């Protein structure tokens, strides 16, 4: 989205014409059920604005509703995190498009509610949720580490377990600190997701 703004009119027309030839949506990623079952699901607030984190009450309420949506529309939620302006989840699903549609409805409901409370009718709150298929067990493990490390990456906390809107505490209780540390070293994330959460990209 941010790169799109740097294109001139001719470059934008060229990109849109290419997307039409490829039979892709003009302004959003194409969602395809790949037959594979594990996905990273990510969505961010428009302009990376802090809409989710407007208040502690909103963070709590959104996290609860979002987790209910994930659990109702996937086979398993392996890891998750909610930050003030975006979220990530690692899920198992046979019908990821159904999950993305449910998240779209959640985005619509929360946009309507939040814009009403803030008297900002018509404001865009969300960008579309997108999915990334896990290509291997290593990719899956690195993704899990990336999700739990996200609040540290964005300087909200110093340790995974200090961030309350995350599955990190449950994960560490399940696998133990020694195993979590071993997996962290085995599946480093130095370049994982480079630029994903950065407004300048």
């Amino acid at each position: 989205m941010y790169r799109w703004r740097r294109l001139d009119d001719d470059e934008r027309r060229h990109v849109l014409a290419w997307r039409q030839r490829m039979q892709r949506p003009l302004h959003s990623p194409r969602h395809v059920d790949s037959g594979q079952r594990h996905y990273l699901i990510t969505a961010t607030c428009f302009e990376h604005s802090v809409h989710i984190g407007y208040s502690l009450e909103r963070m709590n309420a959104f996290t609860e509703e979002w987790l209910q949506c994930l659990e109702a529309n996937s086979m398993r939620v392996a890891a998750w995190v909610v930050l003030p302006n975006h979220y990530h989840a690692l899920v198992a699903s046979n019908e990821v498009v159904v999950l993305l549609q449910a998240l779209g409805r959640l985005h619509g409901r929360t946009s309507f509610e939040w814009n009403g409370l803030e008297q900002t009718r018509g404001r865009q709150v969300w960008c579309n949720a997108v999915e990334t298929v896990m290509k291997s067990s290593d990719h899956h493990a690195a993704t899990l580490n990336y999700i739990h490390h996200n609040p540290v990456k964005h300087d909200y906390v110093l340790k995974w377990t200090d961030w309350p809107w995350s599955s990190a505490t449950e994960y560490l209780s399940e696998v133990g600190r020694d195993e979590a540390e071993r997996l962290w070293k085995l599946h480093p994330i130095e370049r994982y997701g480079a630029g994903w959460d950065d407004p300048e990209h």
Side-chain angles (χ1 to χ4, degrees):
M1 178 180 69
Y2 300 100
R3 291 185 182 125
W4 173 259
R5 294 177 183 167
R6 299 192 188 112
L7 302 179
D8 62 32
D9 290 341
D10 286 338
E11 290 170 326
R12 291 183 181 186
R13 280 192 290 271
H14 178 75
V15 170
L16 293 176
W18 174 81
R19 290 186 72 87
Q20 282 183 311
R21 285 196 305 275
M22 298 298 292
Q23 297 182 330
R24 293 177 179 268
L26 293 184
H27 296 289
S28 64
R30 187 179 187 190
H31 304 298
V32 178
D33 277 309
S34 68
Q36 300 195 39
R37 293 176 54 187
H38 293 88
Y39 301 88
L40 170 65
I41 305 295
T42 297
T44 185
C45 296
F46 185 66
E47 302 278 7
H48 281 74
S49 296
V50 181
H51 295 309
I52 308 170
Y54 180 81
S55 67
L56 291 178
E57 292 78 14
R58 182 177 291 180
M59 282 285 289
N60 290 334
F62 175 77
T63 300
E64 183 176 347
E65 191 173 0
W66 176 70
L67 286 173
Q68 289 171 355
C69 181
L70 292 179
E71 289 164 359
N73 293 281
S74 62
M75 299 165 61
R76 178 173 179 261
V77 181
W80 60 270
V81 66
V82 176
L83 287 100
N85 61 3
H86 68 283
Y87 63 71
H88 300 291
L90 180 59
V91 303
S93 174
N94 283 328
E95 296 181 289
V96 72
V97 171
V98 172
L99 171 57
L100 294 170
Q101 290 169 343
L103 289 170
R105 292 190 293 272
L106 174 62
H107 289 179
R109 289 194 304 275
T110 53
S111 295
F112 184 81
E113 177 188 349
W114 300 346
N115 284 345
L117 289 171
E118 297 169 46
Q119 299 181 340
T120 53
R121 287 286 177 227
R123 175 186 64 177
Q124 183 173 343
V125 173
W126 291 101
C127 296
N128 291 339
V130 295
E131 80 284 5
T132 302
V133 177
M134 297 296 98
K135 300 173 180 64
S136 67
S137 59
D138 288 342
H139 190 193
H140 186 281
T143 299
L144 187 145
N145 284 336
Y146 176 82
I147 289 171
H148 289 152
H149 188 68
N150 219 236
V152 179
K153 172 190 171 186
H154 292 287
D155 296 321
Y156 288 111
V157 290
L158 294 177
K159 299 186 299 184
W160 290 4
T161 50
D162 289 341
W163 188 249
W165 300 281
S166 163
S167 59
T169 300
E170 293 88 341
Y171 167 72
L172 290 172
S173 296
E174 182 180 322
V175 304
R177 289 189 175 273
D178 289 344
E179 177 65 4
E181 185 175 343
R182 185 186 73 82
L183 292 171
W184 172 259
K185 292 175 180 176
L186 194 60
H187 303 285
I189 61 165
E190 284 84 2
R191 294 297 301 157
Y192 191 105
W196 288 359
D197 305 330
D198 304 328
E200 66 269 18
H201 289 275

